[in-house]
Structure formats: C-alpha cells, structure tokens
Amino acid sequence: MSQLGEHEGTHSLAPVQLEGGSDDLRDIEKLRDGSGWRLTFMVVLVTAVSVGGIKLLDVVDTREAYMHAAGQLERSDAEPRDAFMRCVLPSYSRSQLTSSNVLRQELERATERMQSGYAKVLAGCMPQILHFQERVKDVRAPADTRQRVDAVAKSTDELVKAWEDLRTFLAHAGNTYDQTQTNRHIDQITTAWQQYQVAREDAHKALTAQM
C-alpha cells in the first residue's frame, strides 16, 4: 500500500503538459526578449507605408486626370478647329488670327468676293467644325473644373450655330445678296469666337492650376 501511495503521489505532483503549451511558452519568451514587439512594429510600419503609397497613387492619378483633360482641350483647339478655319479661309494662318477683328476682316473679304457662292464653301467645311464640336464635348475633366470645361462646350455650340446661320443666309440670298446683312451674321460669328476664346482660356487655367 505504501509503495502504491508513493507512486500515486508522484503522478499527482507531476506538471500537466497541455497540447501546444511549448509554443505558447516560446511566444511569451519572444515578447519578453523584445522580438515580438519588433515584429509588431514592422507590421505597423509596413501598413503605414502601404497606406501612404495608396494616397500617393491617388494624388498621381488625380494629377494625371487634369493633365489628360488639358491635353484633350488643347488638341481639340489645335487640330479640328484649325482644319475648319483653313477650309473656310484658305489663307488662314493661326499666328495671324490674333483677334476677332482680324477674323471679321477676313470673312468680309471672302463674302464680298464670293457673295452667295460662299455658302457652298461653308457647306463643304461644316463637317470639320462639327468634328471640332464633338472633340470639345469629349473632354473629361475632374468635377471641380467640369463647369469651366462645360462653358467651353457651350461656347462651341454657339460658334457652330453662328457659322451655320451664315451658311443658311447665303444659301437663300441668291441674287438678292446684301453685304450689310451678311456682316451682321459675321458679327455673330466673331462674337461667338471671342466667347469661345475666353471660355477656353479660363478652362485651361483651371486645369493647369491643379497640375
């Protein structure tokens, strides 16, 4: 009996080994010697860098959106608009067309020379200005500059209408051509042209200010 009791007592005092207990002890030791804290710090640091990187990418993407819109606006003015102006005014030079007054003088010369026949010239050129109108409407600007870009599109609509009104007037003038009445339509074109130039410049400044 005494030996059995001693045997039982020995087992009752032995430490109980739980599954995974050794791993838990090692984790505790890591925390004690500081390696666990270093691991936690590294996780936090990597997370912070990742968040910062995402924010930086957002900034880059936003800047590229302004640059893309500014490029679209510039190309619409330099390509299809110039194509239309070369069509309606064969002697057109972008560097010489410095104001609406110069445009008025050129149109007055053209209509005085060709009179109602100038309607056929305009009819052949309308596809170019319609393409120009579409290119302006295709400009996609960020929300805070959208109103300025929309103003350019609206001014382009007015410009297209003014040219079409001149074409229609000349087409129906026939032998009753009147230069005074023609000049009134030319004035509408030059006014719309000036409004377009102002709106385009405002939009360009708004876009480039964010770049």
Side-chain angles (χ1 to χ4, degrees), residues 1 9 23 27 47 53 68 79 84 196:
M1 290 291 292
D23 292 336
D27 290 342
T47 301
H68 180 67
E79 296 169 6
F84 171 73
Y196 161 76

Side-chain angles (χ1 to χ4, degrees), residues 182-202:
T182 300
N183 288 346
R184 291 177 182 174
H185 285 282
I186 292 174
D187 286 343
Q188 292 176 359
I189 291 174
T190 56
T191 298
W193 175 269
Q194 184 62 32
Q195 291 172 345
Y196 161 76
Q197 295 287 1
V198 171
R200 193 188 75 84
E201 184 64 24
D202 286 347

Side-chain angles (χ1 to χ4, degrees), residues 89-102:
L89 298 172
S91 61
Y92 165 77
S93 172
R94 188 181 182 91
S95 61
Q96 294 177 352
L97 191 59
T98 56
S99 68
S100 57
N101 286 332
V102 174

Side-chain angles (χ1 to χ4, degrees), residues 154-171:
K154 182 178 180 180
S155 67
T156 305
D157 292 342
E158 294 298 321
L159 185 59
V160 171
K161 182 179 182 302
W163 281 102
E164 177 58 26
D165 286 349
L166 175 61
R167 186 201 67 78
T168 302
F169 169 76
L170 293 175

Side-chain angles (χ1 to χ4, degrees), residues 84-121:
F84 171 73
M85 293 306 300
R86 285 192 297 269
C87 184
V88 295
L89 298 172
S91 61
Y92 165 77
S93 172
R94 188 181 182 91
S95 61
Q96 294 177 352
L97 191 59
T98 56
S99 68
S100 57
N101 286 332
V102 174
L103 176 60
R104 179 184 292 105
Q105 292 169 6
E106 292 297 322
L107 285 174
E108 286 176 352
R109 290 192 188 101
T111 53
E112 285 173 358
R113 184 176 66 254
M114 299 186 68
Q115 297 190 1
S116 58
Y118 193 57
K120 294 181 179 179
V121 175

Side-chain angles (χ1 to χ4, degrees), residues 6 29 33-34 44 58 63-65 67 80-81 90 103 115 155 163 185 195 209:
E6 289 176 1
E29 290 301 322
D33 64 19
V44 173
D58 287 342
R63 184 180 180 186
E64 287 183 350
M67 293 176 63
R81 194 207 73 172
L103 176 60
Q115 297 190 1
S155 67
W163 281 102
H185 285 282
Q195 291 172 345

